[in-house]
Amino acid sequence: MSQNNIYGGQAVIEGVMFAGKSVHVTAVRRKDNEISFLEVPRSSSKEWVRKLKKVPLLRGLVAIIESTANGARHLNFSAEVFAEEEGEEVKQEEPSLFGKISMLLGVAVVGVISFIFGKLIFTLVPAFVEHTLFNNHFENQILHNLIEGLIKIVFLVGYIYIISLTPLIKRLFQYHGAEHKVISAYEAGVPLTVSNVQKFSTLHYRCGSSFIVLTVLIGVIIYSFVPYDNLWDRMWQRIALLPVVIGVSYEALRFTNVLRDTPVLKYLGYPGLWLQMLTTKQPTDEQVEVSIASFNRMRELDSEITKPHVI
């Protein structure tokens, strides 16, 4: 029997984070095989934020910023555990209240800024490269936009492939696969054992990798409706339209997830699944065990406070 609750997660260094309705839980495997947990209560959004989350197009931008800020804290926790395991100095004293607030704000800001900076780089650099190489060859702006989209895909795939060759990122991608397997097993309604979870695919329709591909494809379409006169117009338009591209892409991701079991229409989500072939790797049993531990702990804490998250 399939489950109705929808959960999301994120791979971190040597572990996995899962987000429930009332708590975010990260489980990290230490070198002594013990599993450490970070349990962060999900803060209540302000009323105006909750209203924005219900508005199509705007809710995508809010969700991305919020998840990036939350994910940054859990990634920071896993990095600290990893540094401690590697013998690097870690401060043991309990920080003051001001210190805790400053740390949380700093991690959130860094996470959001990193996302925005990365999105700008992968938006502006391909536009500049395409303009430099092909501006004098033809005047059809739609064709220019298509070539720009192809350059983005090449840059994106090349970047992911290169970083995936490093041992740390390869293991991160394995945990990414473990996260997807656990969610798929839960949604299929099977008991979350290592042997059961390993039977499922490392690919999942709701993955952020699918969202990244959609921003490229939908960006080509949206940019084609806005003419420009020169390179600087083109650059500023890309920046101004970035929230629109993110908002529409988020809605498209939700749409493709709904249609994933519909014949023919399910292929709308395939470009994202293809990219996940790079961003996920087959996990080991030990990595799946960590993912299951994180998911079960999140569900346990959620059930102690309220009913499981239903969307």
Side-chain angles (χ1 to χ4, degrees), residues 19-157:
K21 182 177 181 179
S22 58
V23 66
H24 291 178
V25 175
T26 290
V28 175
R29 172 84 71 181
R30 292 182 176 272
K31 287 188 175 180
D32 60 4
N33 285 327
E34 292 295 320
I35 297 177
S36 293
F37 292 92
L38 173 66
E39 301 161 1
V40 181
R42 198 164 186 169
S43 59
S44 299
S45 302
K46 293 183 178 180
E47 183 62 28
W48 65 272
V49 175
R50 287 196 294 269
K51 289 181 178 179
L52 287 179
K53 288 181 179 179
K54 298 178 181 179
V55 180
L57 298 183
L58 289 180
R59 61 188 174 189
L61 193 59
V62 174
I64 293 300
I65 293 176
E66 195 172 52
S67 64
T68 302
N70 290 331
R73 178 174 182 179
H74 290 264
L75 187 60
N76 184 64
F77 165 74
S78 68
E80 287 180 350
V81 173
F82 180 78
E84 182 180 359
E85 294 288 298
E86 292 298 311
E88 294 184 14
E89 181 179 354
V90 177
K91 292 184 179 180
Q92 299 295 331
E93 63 271 15
E94 180 70 17
S96 64
L97 178 60
F98 177 78
K100 289 181 179 179
I101 295 175
S102 300
M103 179 187 69
L104 294 180
L105 288 176
V107 171
V109 169
V110 168
V112 173
I113 289 178
S114 297
F115 168 77
I116 294 174
F117 180 75
K119 200 72 187 77
L120 285 175
I121 291 295
F122 277 97
T123 296
L124 298 182
V125 172
F128 176 80
V129 171
E130 194 285 330
H131 180 87
T132 302
L133 296 178
F134 300 100
N135 184 55
N136 297 324
H137 290 72
F138 44 83
E139 297 182 357
N140 189 313
Q141 289 190 353
I142 294 180
L143 186 55
H144 279 292
N145 290 333
L146 287 172
I147 296 175
E148 177 187 337
L150 290 174
I151 293 174
K152 285 182 183 179
I153 294 293
V154 171
F155 277 15
L156 180 63
V157 172

Side-chain angles (χ1 to χ4, degrees), residues 90-240:
V90 177
K91 292 184 179 180
Q92 299 295 331
E93 63 271 15
E94 180 70 17
S96 64
L97 178 60
F98 177 78
K100 289 181 179 179
I101 295 175
S102 300
M103 179 187 69
L104 294 180
L105 288 176
V107 171
V109 169
V110 168
V112 173
I113 289 178
S114 297
F115 168 77
I116 294 174
F117 180 75
K119 200 72 187 77
L120 285 175
I121 291 295
F122 277 97
T123 296
L124 298 182
V125 172
F128 176 80
V129 171
E130 194 285 330
H131 180 87
T132 302
L133 296 178
F134 300 100
N135 184 55
N136 297 324
H137 290 72
F138 44 83
E139 297 182 357
N140 189 313
Q141 289 190 353
I142 294 180
L143 186 55
H144 279 292
N145 290 333
L146 287 172
I147 296 175
E148 177 187 337
L150 290 174
I151 293 174
K152 285 182 183 179
I153 294 293
V154 171
F155 277 15
L156 180 63
V157 172
Y159 170 74
I160 293 175
Y161 174 74
I162 290 173
I163 65 173
S164 70
L165 298 178
T166 64
L168 182 61
I169 299 301
K170 181 179 179 180
R171 289 189 62 81
L172 186 72
F173 286 173
Q174 286 180 292
Y175 278 107
H176 190 191
E179 173 223 330
H180 285 181
K181 282 174 174 279
V182 167
I183 291 178
S184 295
Y186 168 77
E187 291 175 345
V190 303
L192 296 184
T193 64
V194 172
S195 59
N196 283 343
V197 170
Q198 283 286 33
K199 296 175 183 177
F200 288 85
S201 172
T202 61
L203 312 182
H204 198 285
Y205 269 82
R206 289 200 311 274
C207 178
S209 300
S210 298
F211 175 76
I212 293 173
V213 173
L214 285 172
T215 61
V216 175
L217 300 178
I218 289 174
V220 170
I221 297 173
I222 292 177
Y223 298 150
S224 297
F225 287 96
V226 185
Y228 54 85
D229 295 323
N230 52 58
L231 176 61
W232 295 114
D233 281 349
R234 187 176 185 178
M235 292 291 194
W236 282 115
Q237 285 177 8
R238 298 299 185 263
I239 296 174

Side-chain angles (χ1 to χ4, degrees), residues 282-293:
Q282 183 64 31
T284 65
D285 288 350
E286 289 75 17
Q287 290 169 326
V288 169
E289 184 182 19
V290 172
S291 187
I292 293 173

